[in-house]
Amino acid sequence: MDAAEFRRRGKEMVDYVADYLENIEKRPVYPDLEPGYLRSLIPNEAPLEPESYEDIIKDVERVIMPGVTHWHSPYFFAYFPAASSYPAMVADMLCGAIGCIGFSWAASPACTELETVMLDWLGKMLQLPECFIAGTHGRGGGVIQGTASEATLMSLLAARCKAVRRVQAINAKKSESEILSKLVAYTSDQAHSSVERAALIGAVMMRKVPTDNHYAVRKEMLKKMVEEDKAAGLIPFYFCATLGTTPSCAFDHLTELGPLCNEENMWMHIDAAYAGSAFICPEFRPLLNGVEFADSFNFNPHKWLLVNFDCSAMWVKERADIIGHWQIPLGRRFRSLKMWFVFRMYGLKGLQAHIRKQVALAKEFESLVRADKRFEICAEVVLGLVCFRLKGSNELNQELLKRITKSREIHLVPCQLSGRFVLRFAICARSTESHHIQQAWQHITQLTFELLQEASH
């Protein structure tokens, strides 16, 4: 493919992508096939001779599309959103074309510098304390990670190093391995599995803190566990707070937990992977109160801020604490271009409007559920997630979800809350409108009617 053909094919691909997204709701949201479907559809080995572009594009529809779960369909309500916008896609094309591997300033100065400035822009949108903004003289600052999982691991490794240095400063004879065996980290029993995985990789003990009846961590419970562990000769060194838990979008109480972490010399990291985007709206910013006590903070613009995957924003108060742990890979893509294009083409007001619209859609779905006495809401609806279930057994709800999935008209996933099987309804696609919510609810109630009719016979 030379430059002339690239111009032609590139324009064709833009048309294909635009057509795909404009007509996505006509496709079944969830694939209807068995694991291993793809292998029989393509050769066992790569071709020896070049193939035509036309043949490859035909195979996209024949081989790839039947196996795609359409995350950007307005009937996709599973997991949490995966952000997508045209400005971000265009920026990603440019990122691929420039193709720099930004592992140092000299490797591509614009790649390093735009990232620092974009994290400052975003930090200011969130009204982060000044200590997290790099500016020209700041001691803190931001960095783009691939995912929130990476950010959690980086913060834990930095906290581990800091704790080892602190203990050795008091007792130089203590070996690193001896100290590591006594370090203990904490997180909510509602935290994402990646937090526990970070402790496994970091080779430290992690304890799960029981939550209150709103699925949030409170100070009393963490304090009790920290005191027990100190009495047993352990060294509490790290707490990962969650703002917007994966099961129910619950919020740990930062204003209580932050001062405790500071008193106990524990690194406090905040994982706000999904919910963080909402903090650009003044009405949701109080959910972030207490961030001033944190050592690091992270959320994913690639979930809800219209920046395509991957783009996970992480800030630290003291760059010096994390300089050896900025990231796992050495190489970095020019991901900040996506932020630059999106922030400029939407503006803060456009981004806020997107968040508010999706929160309103979740509230609309919540009111539909509340109006039907067969159903119950299982957790407070704060942002764009509604946790609900059919009143009755876990088995009944499992059967309902099975029928929803099999229908392939809408897509949901479940969670467990207080031992109950719960359905999660997350507003995900940028193109979701009120009529999609109404249609989804109609579909759920129709399947519910059929299920209850059968159960009564």
Side-chain angles (χ1 to χ4, degrees):
M1 188 184 282
D2 58 15
E5 190 184 359
F6 175 69
R7 286 176 196 276
R8 193 167 90 252
R9 300 306 189 188
K11 285 166 188 162
E12 286 172 11
M13 181 54 81
V14 167
D15 284 340
Y16 179 85
V17 168
D19 288 343
Y20 166 70
L21 291 170
E22 278 192 321
N23 298 298
I24 195 168
E25 65 184 88
K26 294 175 186 166
R27 296 177 184 260
V29 64
Y30 190 67
D32 181 24
L33 33 78
E34 295 298 316
Y37 89 96
L38 189 141
R39 190 173 285 277
S40 64
L41 299 178
I42 60 175
N44 285 331
E45 292 172 2
L48 197 58
E49 299 294 336
E51 294 184 10
S52 75
Y53 182 81
E54 285 86 356
D55 285 346
I56 297 167
I57 283 297
K58 277 182 203 155
D59 279 351
V60 170
E61 282 296 338
R62 182 180 72 87
V63 179
I64 303 303
M65 284 301 174
V68 170
T69 300
H70 298 285
W71 280 63
H72 300 290
S73 165
Y75 296 115
F76 181 93
F77 303 106
Y79 313 107
F80 274 133
S84 172
S85 69
Y86 295 118
M89 289 180 227
V90 172
D92 232 354
M93 279 178 73
L94 181 58
C95 169
I98 292 171
C100 63
I101 311 295
F103 52 80
S104 67
W105 181 86
S108 197
C111 181
T112 298
E113 295 198 13
L114 186 65
E115 183 165 327
T116 304
V117 177
M118 286 305 99
L119 271 290
D120 277 4
W121 276 21
L122 185 52
K124 287 171 185 174
M125 287 188 214
L126 296 162
Q127 296 171 41
L128 287 183
E130 195 61 36
C131 53
F132 286 102
I133 307 297
T136 48
H137 304 293
R139 289 163 59 182
V143 62
I144 298 174
Q145 303 287 354
T147 64
S149 309
E150 288 172 35
T152 303
L153 176 59
M154 295 300 94
S155 67
L156 184 129
L157 293 176
R160 190 183 78 166
C161 280
K162 199 174 178 184
V164 168
R165 283 199 304 268
R166 192 172 64 244
V167 174
Q168 286 182 331
I170 299 161
N171 187 346
K173 289 179 182 171
K174 285 214 164 175
S175 68
E176 188 170 334
S177 59
E178 192 185 346
I179 298 165
L180 288 179
S181 70
K182 293 197 178 331
L183 291 182
V184 58
Y186 306 86
T187 195
S188 161
D189 62 11
Q190 299 292 305
H192 192 265
S193 59
S194 60
V195 181
E196 200 174 355
R197 194 162 61 240
L200 287 170
I201 297 168
V204 294
M205 197 187 321
M206 180 164 273
R207 295 191 63 193
K208 290 191 175 180
V209 186
T211 48
D212 66 11
N213 53 9
H214 295 289
Y215 307 107
V217 173
R218 305 299 300 246
K219 177 184 176 179
E220 300 75 35
M221 188 50 80
L222 178 61
K223 190 175 171 105
K224 181 173 174 282
M225 291 172 76
V226 166
E227 284 171 356
E228 283 170 5
D229 288 340
K230 279 162 67 181
L234 298 173
I235 306 166
F237 81 106
Y238 177 89
F239 172 62
C240 179
T242 307
L243 295 181
T245 58
T246 304
S248 67
C249 198
F251 293 80
D252 291 341
H253 291 263
L254 294 189
T255 50
E256 299 175 4
L257 296 160
L260 173 66
C261 290
N262 290 178
E263 284 160 28
E264 297 290 347
N265 245 329
M266 289 161 59
W267 183 295
M268 183 165 83
H269 174 67
I270 300 170
D271 172 7
Y274 161 68
S277 297
F279 305 154
I280 64 168
C281 299
E283 65 269 34
F284 300 123
R285 177 56 180 78
L287 294 166
L288 186 57
N289 287 353
V291 66
E292 60 273 17
F293 300 109
D295 297 274
S296 52
F297 166 69
N298 163 250
F299 86 97
N300 292 341
H302 70 228
K303 274 195 168 66
W304 207 13
L305 211 59
L306 301 173
V307 178
N308 290 49
F309 189 83
D310 59 325
C311 180
S312 185
M314 179 187 188
W315 289 266
V316 287
K317 243 183 204 162
E318 292 282 347
R319 284 200 303 274
D321 288 339
I322 206 165
I323 220 81
H325 306 286
W326 268 125
Q327 67 205 49
I328 296 167
L330 179 64
R332 330 173 41 75
R333 297 191 312 119
F334 201 163
R335 293 174 287 201
S336 56
L337 281 171
K338 292 183 287 193
M339 300 171 84
W340 196 43
F341 274 53
V342 169
F343 295 166
R344 292 180 69 184
M345 293 193 76
Y346 277 89
L348 177 56
K349 285 186 175 174
L351 295 170
Q352 289 171 333
H354 168 67
I355 298 291
R356 286 172 179 142
K357 177 185 170 183
Q358 297 218 319
V359 173
L361 291 172
K363 291 287 182 188
E364 182 180 345
F365 185 79
E366 178 192 13
S367 65
L368 292 169
V369 176
R370 288 194 186 278
D372 190 324
K373 297 297 171 224
R374 296 170 300 177
F375 288 88
E376 59 186 329
I377 294 287
C378 305
E380 188 187 353
V381 179
V382 181
L383 298 175
L385 174 69
V386 182
C387 292
F388 73 107
R389 72 196 298 277
L390 199 48
K391 289 172 183 171
S393 67
N394 283 349
E395 290 72 27
L396 190 67
N397 282 279
Q398 283 166 340
E399 180 58 31
L400 175 59
L401 182 62
K402 200 165 142 190
R403 292 179 184 213
I404 289 169
T405 305
K406 198 176 172 189
S407 75
R408 297 160 66 227
E409 287 194 29
I410 61 173
H411 191 45
L412 275 65
V413 294
C415 70
Q416 289 278 341
L417 290 175
S418 308
R420 296 188 305 167
F421 186 89
V422 170
L423 279 63
R424 293 170 78 264
F425 189 96
I427 310 298
C428 291
R430 178 172 47 86
S431 57
T432 307
E433 299 288 347
S434 174
H435 69 270
H436 298 114
I437 303 299
Q438 298 289 338
Q439 217 171 312
W441 180 242
Q442 211 177 333
H443 184 61
I444 291 166
T445 53
Q446 178 59 38
L447 291 175
T448 300
F449 175 75
E450 292 166 11
L451 175 61
L452 295 177
Q453 283 284 94
E454 285 173 32
S456 65
H457 289 333

